[in-house]
Amino acid sequence: MKILVTGAAGFIGSKLSYMLAQRGNEVIGIDNINDYYDVRMKYGRLKECGITAPDNNFEWHKVYSSSRFEHLQFIRMGIEDRPQMEALFREHSFDKVVNLAAQAGVRYSIVNPYAYLESNLQGFLVLLECCRNFQVPHLIFASSSSVYGLNQKVPYQEEDQVDNPVSLYAATKKSNELMAHCYSKLYGFAVTGLRYFTVYGPWGRPDMAPMLFTKAIRAGEPIKIFNQGNLSRDFTYIDDIVEGTIRVIDCPPVAEECPNQIAYKIYNIGCSQPVQLMDFIHELEKNLQCEAVKEYLPMQPGDVYQTYADTHKLKTDTGYQPQVSLQEGIRRFVNWYLSEDNPLK
Ligand SMILES: NC(=O)c1ccc[n+]([C@@H]2O[C@H](COP(=O)([O-])OP(=O)(O)OC[C@H]3O[C@@H](n4cnc5c(N)ncnc54)[C@H](O)[C@@H]3O)[C@@H](O)[C@H]2O)c1
C-alpha cells in the first residue's frame, strides 16, 4: 500500500509516517518545513524517521530516502504548489492520501489569517483535485475539535451542529469538511475527516500549552492561565491519535453504509476524558518537581471553554480504544522533554 502523508515533519505527521513505515507501508512524506515554530523540532522529528540533509538544508522538491525505513521518502514541498503536486501524483499511484499539512493554531489565526487561506483552503483544494484527477481511492484529512466552537452540550458528537466557529482556524477546518463532502459525492472517492482533540506527547508542538508551560516552569517564568484556569481539554496522547488514524486508514467508508450513499465519514478522535487545565498543570509540576509561577488572565479571543469527545462512532467502526492515561502520558512527555532528544531543552 502506497501512502502520501502531508505535514510529515509535523507533530502528528512525523509519528504517523514512522508508524506506517514501521508496519511496512510505502510512505512518501511531504512538508514545506515552514518556520511557524522552531524548525529544529521539524528537523529532529525527520531525523527520528531516518531522514536527514547536510546542515538540515532540505532542498525543495528533492527526494530524501530514510536511512531507517526502506520504503520511506521525504520531499520538501507545499501542498498549494499545484504543478509540483500534480507531478507527484502523476509519478506515484497513491492508495491513500493523509492530509495533516495545515496552518495550525487558534490564536495565530487572529495574527496571520492569510497563512490559513493558503495552506488550509487553497492547499486542501489542490489535494482534492489531485485525488479526483489521479483516482485516489481514499483521502483521510485532519479536521479539529475546534469546529464545535462554543457548543455547550458535551460530550461532542459528530452529528452536533457545527455552524458556530469562533476562530478562522476552526472555520477553515469546517470548510475542509464541506469541500471534502462535495468531492466525495461528485467524484465517488472515499473520504474520512478526523476531528483531533488536543494532542500532546514527545515531539509536541512548541506553540501548545504542554510545551509552553514546561519551558516556563523550568525557567521559573510565569505561565499564562487563561479564563482563570477554568478551562478543560480532552488531552489525547500522540500514540493513541496515531493508532486511531491508522485504524481509519484501514477502514475506508463504504457508500452503501453512509447517509445519502456518499462514502464520507467524520470521526471524533480523543481520549473522552476531559481534564481541568489546573489538574494538567499540577501533573506537570509533579513530574518536573517544580511549582509553576501562575499568571491568571481573562479568556482569549478564539478560545473555547471545554472540549470533550464522544468517540463511540470510531470505537464501533474501528475498535479504537485510547490506552495512555494522562499520568502516564505526562510522565512520558516530561521524560522526553528533559532528554537529549529535545532540541529546545
Ligand atoms: N495537535 C493538535 O492538538 C491538533 C488538534 C486538532 C487538529 N490538528 C490538526 O492536525 C494536523 C497536524 O497537526 P500538528 O499538531 O501535527 O501540526 P504541525 O504544525 O506540527 O504539523 C503540520 C505540518 O504541516 C506543514 N505545513 C503547513 N502548511 C503546509 C503547506 N502548505 N504545505 C506543506 N506543508 C505544510 C508544517 O510545516 C508542519 O510541519 C493539522 O491539520 C492540525 O490542524 C492538530
Side-chain angles (χ1 to χ4, degrees), residues 11-12 31-32 37 42 79-80 102 119 169 173 199 205:
F11 176 29
I12 303 173
D31 198 298
N32 65 7
Y37 59 74
K42 301 187 182 184
I79 58 167
E80 67 288 346
S119 292
Y169 169 69
K173 290 293 178 182
V199 191
R205 286 206 339 245

Side-chain angles (χ1 to χ4, degrees), residues 43 53-58:
Y43 300 144
D55 301 322
N56 287 324
N57 185 14
F58 284 91

Side-chain angles (χ1 to χ4, degrees), residues 120-131:
N120 303 11
L121 296 177
Q122 227 166 288
F124 193 66
L125 179 61
V126 171
L127 261 181
L128 288 172
E129 276 290 298
C130 286
C131 289

Side-chain angles (χ1 to χ4, degrees), residues 42-43 51 75-76 99 121 134 137 147 150 194 197 215 228 247 263-264 279 311 320 335 344:
K42 301 187 182 184
Y43 300 144
I51 292 162
I75 307 168
R76 184 177 189 184
N99 183 44
L121 296 177
F134 297 94
V147 299
L150 295 178
L194 290 172
F197 282 65
K215 183 170 179 234
Q228 316 301 325
R247 283 176 183 269
Y264 173 87
D279 291 340
T311 53
Y320 166 77
N335 276 350
L344 310 187

Side-chain angles (χ1 to χ4, degrees), residues 98-110:
V98 187
N99 183 44
L100 300 175
Q103 180 55 57
V106 167
R107 292 177 193 144
Y108 187 64
S109 67
I110 291 165

Side-chain angles (χ1 to χ4, degrees), residues 195-225:
R195 292 179 180 163
Y196 289 126
F197 282 65
T198 320
V199 191
Y200 75 101
W203 295 103
R205 286 206 339 245
D207 62 324
M208 291 181 68
M211 287 282 277
L212 290 169
F213 286 173
T214 305
K215 183 170 179 234
I217 292 171
R218 281 181 38 85
E221 288 165 2
I223 58 171
K224 291 186 174 133
I225 302 177

Side-chain angles (χ1 to χ4, degrees), residues 269-301:
I269 171 163
C271 198
S272 290
Q273 289 188 356
V275 179
Q276 285 293 324
L277 186 60
M278 297 315 293
D279 291 340
F280 189 87
I281 292 167
H282 287 143
E283 203 57 40
L284 274 181
E285 290 175 324
K286 201 173 82 190
N287 280 272
L288 289 164
Q289 296 177 346
C290 185
E291 199 179 327
V293 182
K294 300 171 185 89
E295 184 183 354
Y296 292 95
L297 295 165
M299 188 68 173
Q300 280 275 289

